Amino acid sequence: MKKIGLIGGTTPESTCYYYRNYIRLSREKFGPFTFPELIIYSINFEEFKNNPRGWEGRKEILIKAAKALERAGAEIIALTANTPHIVFPDVQKAVSVPMVSIIEALIEEMKRRDVKKVLLLGTKTTMTADFYKNALREAGFEVITPNEEEIDEIDRIIFEELAFENLKSKPYLVDLVERYAKEKGVEGVILGCTELPLAIKQGDVPVEVFDTAEIHMRKLIELAAE
């Protein structure tokens, strides 16, 4: 099996969620004691989030991590967060081993479930920048995002609550998805931040839930087994 390399720490809680999925999905696929080899490079989130050079500085941090994983023997590499995919192409170019995009894995799963109209939730950057929405629209999906006030509140919940496993705003998030399903006709919700699955699970809301962290890890394990 191929050795998986994860760039984690963005945030640590979402990286823990990736690791829990890694254990569960490996056991489903291979049995109770078989796991693909896994290396995690956990970055300093303070240095990343508040980098004075913005995305140029953040990109350098991610490239450094990817190169370290490559030197350590990783044969496939992934970013354990959605928002950093804004610089995914540049990070991929910096290493010679393949990287697996969370957006591409999501698109594959959305096609499999035959969902066309979705609500995108995530950090403010993910919900407002073009990199995520354009990729989905180019793949044929209709993408709805919350209004400006809701975007700010979701971003706050992610960084002030979910990043510390505080789930007190779960009712707000569930109500928001239910409202968009009723008023806008969305068929699914993309949990486009890997902290959001801590609060929203399949069955919590009346639409398909796309847990990007689980979808991503499932794809990585599938590729590791090839």
Side-chain angles (χ1 to χ4, degrees):
M1 286 189 285
K2 296 183 181 73
K3 188 180 295 184
I4 300 169
L6 298 180
I7 301 174
T10 54
T11 63
E13 289 305 329
S14 67
T15 308
C16 290
Y17 185 70
Y18 262 79
Y19 191 72
R20 287 193 292 271
N21 272 302
Y22 160 77
I23 294 169
R24 179 176 62 82
L25 296 170
S26 292
R27 284 175 172 162
E28 284 180 10
K29 189 171 184 65
F30 307 117
F33 302 118
T34 301
F35 305 92
E37 291 184 72
L38 176 71
I39 311 165
I40 299 175
Y41 187 114
S42 187
I43 68 170
N44 180 344
F45 191 57
E46 171 67 27
E47 180 186 3
F48 182 84
K49 184 175 186 294
N50 297 316
N51 196 285
R53 296 174 58 228
W55 278 107
E56 192 61 33
R58 295 183 193 114
K59 180 176 71 177
E60 290 179 5
I61 291 170
L62 297 174
I63 288 174
K64 176 185 174 184
K67 287 182 174 179
L69 289 169
E70 184 176 30
R71 289 194 302 271
E75 295 166 275
I76 47 176
I77 296 174
L79 307 173
T80 61
N82 286 267
T83 304
H85 278 70
I86 196 169
V87 293
F88 179 90
D90 290 333
V91 180
Q92 171 66 95
K93 289 175 187 173
V95 292
S96 58
V97 300
M99 292 186 63
V100 180
S101 163
I102 199 170
I103 302 173
E104 290 178 8
L106 169 65
I107 287 171
E108 188 178 302
E109 179 65 13
M110 288 170 66
K111 288 180 177 178
R112 189 187 71 80
R113 296 199 217 174
D114 195 28
V115 169
K116 299 298 183 184
K117 187 174 184 179
V118 290
L119 174 67
L120 173 62
L121 304 183
T123 65
K124 186 170 186 174
T125 299
T126 294
M127 290 185 283
T128 58
D130 289 333
F131 76 102
Y132 213 106
K133 290 181 287 188
N134 283 353
L136 294 171
R137 286 168 179 156
E138 286 170 10
F141 300 102
E142 183 178 353
V143 184
I144 304 294
T145 51
N147 64 40
E148 187 175 345
E149 181 180 329
E150 291 164 344
I151 284 172
D152 286 338
E153 178 61 6
I154 293 164
D155 192 77
R156 184 199 67 77
I157 290 168
I158 288 168
F159 288 111
E160 295 183 12
E161 297 178 18
L162 297 180
F164 303 98
E165 292 190 288
N166 181 338
L167 304 182
K168 69 178 183 180
S169 292
K170 176 172 180 169
Y172 171 87
L173 295 170
V174 169
D175 179 70
L176 183 142
V177 175
E178 289 177 342
R179 183 157 39 82
Y180 273 85
K182 182 178 180 180
E183 297 176 3
K184 300 292 185 180
V186 300
E187 304 166 278
V189 57
I190 297 171
L191 306 184
C193 172
T194 44
E195 278 77 27
L196 286 169
L198 300 173
I200 301 176
K201 310 289 185 187
Q202 189 73 48
D204 287 342
V205 291
V207 295
E208 287 288 317
V209 174
F210 292 93
D211 178 344
T212 54
E214 178 179 339
I215 291 165
H216 200 199
M217 196 70 244
R218 190 180 295 277
K219 185 64 177 179
L220 287 164
I221 290 171
E222 175 188 316
L223 292 173
E226 289 181 349

